[in-house]
Amino acid sequence: MSATITVETPLSPDMRAMVQELSDLLLSLTPAEACHHLTAEQMAGERTTVFVARVAGEIAACGALHRHDGGVAEVKRMYTRPAFQGQGLGAMILDRIIEEAKSEGVRQLVLETGWNYEAARKLYERRGFTLCGPVLDYPEHPESVFYSRPLMAETEI
């Protein structure tokens, strides 16, 4: 499998379909009040960079870096389509998100995910994220878990 990862607009027809597919999946696994989606339109804003993995031209996975004030950025919309899972695409995208955040001087990456998304949680933990309390303006919810990873110490060494 040869994948390419590029920055793409979430407003293309195939990315809109991917974003909808992810939203539908999350809503089938998690109560609506614990789902914190960005729409394709929100992802198209200047605060967000969308990374897309394609295999043979087909969108296989995606993830986004969403910037907040105060040197904090958030990992959002991480998803690998079932046919492409287990091939390391999520890790490749997360690595690109981390690289981009570091290059911009982001001091801390945070994220919210579902307590039952075991593969995602393992990926985040392998990439140095640690469990923490609620981040940003997310409410505490029994279906949500939160992760944080400092970046500034790594770039100051």
Side-chain angles (χ1 to χ4, degrees):
M1 174 216 57
S2 178
T4 59
I5 298 178
T6 57
V7 172
E8 296 191 23
T9 177
L11 300 177
S12 67
D14 54 355
M15 266 307 294
R16 282 184 184 276
M18 178 79 148
V19 169
Q20 188 61 54
E21 182 180 321
L22 172 56
S23 295
D24 292 345
L25 174 65
L26 294 178
L27 285 168
S28 77
L29 299 171
T30 307
E33 69 271 10
C35 288
H36 307 285
H37 305 161
L38 288 179
T39 65
E41 287 74 20
Q42 290 168 323
M43 292 169 66
E46 63 184 36
R47 288 182 169 239
T48 306
T49 301
V50 179
F51 296 90
V52 175
R54 288 183 180 268
V55 175
E58 181 182 354
I59 294 180
C62 65
L65 175 67
H66 184 71
R67 296 151 191 90
H68 294 271
D69 295 332
V72 176
E74 184 178 9
V75 177
K76 294 289 289 182
R77 306 313 323 235
M78 291 288 296
Y79 178 56
T80 302
R81 285 187 159 146
F84 298 98
Q85 290 175 359
Q87 300 177 27
L89 297 176
M92 291 169 59
I93 287 176
L94 186 56
D95 288 345
R96 287 286 300 275
I97 289 170
I98 293 167
E99 288 171 24
E100 181 63 26
K102 284 181 182 179
S103 75
E104 294 178 12
V106 169
R107 64 176 180 76
Q108 182 182 32
L109 276 175
V110 297
L111 64 92
E112 180 275 340
T113 192
W115 69 272
N116 55 339
Y117 304 163
E118 195 61 37
R121 293 183 64 186
K122 285 180 181 177
L123 170 64
Y124 300 136
E125 291 169 9
R126 282 194 310 265
R127 290 301 189 268
F129 286 83
T130 57
L131 284 168
C132 63
V135 297
L136 305 167
D137 60 352
Y138 288 102
E140 192 157 345
H141 191 282
E143 301 272 342
S144 293
V145 292
F146 303 92
Y147 283 90
S148 176
R149 178 181 165 168
L151 296 181
M152 286 304 288
E154 297 173 25
T155 59
E156 292 171 353
I157 296 175

